[in-house]
Amino acid sequence: MSPAPADCRPDDVLLEFHLSRPGPSSHRMAALLDPVTDRPELLLTLRTPLAQHQDRRRTAAQLGLHPNTIDNRLARLAELTGLDPSSSRDAALAIAALLLRDTHHPCGGRGPGPF
């Protein structure tokens, strides 16, 4: 988990704190993204729109890609993982899986953005 800013309050990191405590489902949730572990461009394309409130144009601009490329990558990610980040439930699962992977990865595993 990334170090918290000095002005960070406990309520600001509740989800990260909860997910940093291993539980019986932690491994299974983190494993939701295993099918794309070797596809860093898909993981980055997942992280970015989640951090950009699903705004595909801002995501495309941030990544230097065409918005259709973002859509194609997210469709491929959905095919490989079964997670559709445009669905609220799947977006929540993806965020949790990313946070768990970041927390338990030996090098942090973190890409750009808050997720």
Side-chain angles (χ1 to χ4, degrees):
M1 188 162 32
S2 297
D7 61 344
C8 186
R9 300 169 303 151
D11 285 353
D12 295 335
V13 292
L14 283 175
L15 180 61
E16 291 85 347
F17 179 81
H18 175 73
L19 292 174
S20 71
R21 304 301 179 260
S25 64
S26 297
H27 176 71
R28 287 184 58 152
M29 181 156 314
L32 291 172
L33 296 175
D34 282 355
V36 293
T37 296
D38 62 341
R39 303 284 306 272
E41 77 282 2
L42 294 182
L43 287 171
L44 179 60
T45 305
L46 173 63
R47 286 177 189 278
T48 307
L50 292 172
Q52 298 296 329
H53 307 288
Q54 306 289 13
D55 185 322
R56 71 191 273 273
R57 292 189 189 279
R58 267 196 319 201
T59 297
Q62 185 171 343
L63 295 177
L65 300 169
H66 191 278
N68 290 347
T69 302
I70 301 301
D71 293 341
N72 292 336
R73 285 185 179 183
L74 292 174
R76 183 68 179 141
L77 183 120
E79 282 176 30
L80 294 171
T81 65
L83 294 174
D84 175 6
S86 67
S87 148
S88 297
R89 181 179 186 283
D90 286 359
L93 284 170
I95 290 168
L98 287 166
L99 289 170
L100 280 165
R101 292 167 70 87
D102 292 348
T103 301
H104 297 139
H105 189 277
C107 298
R110 213 171 146 77
F115 304 114

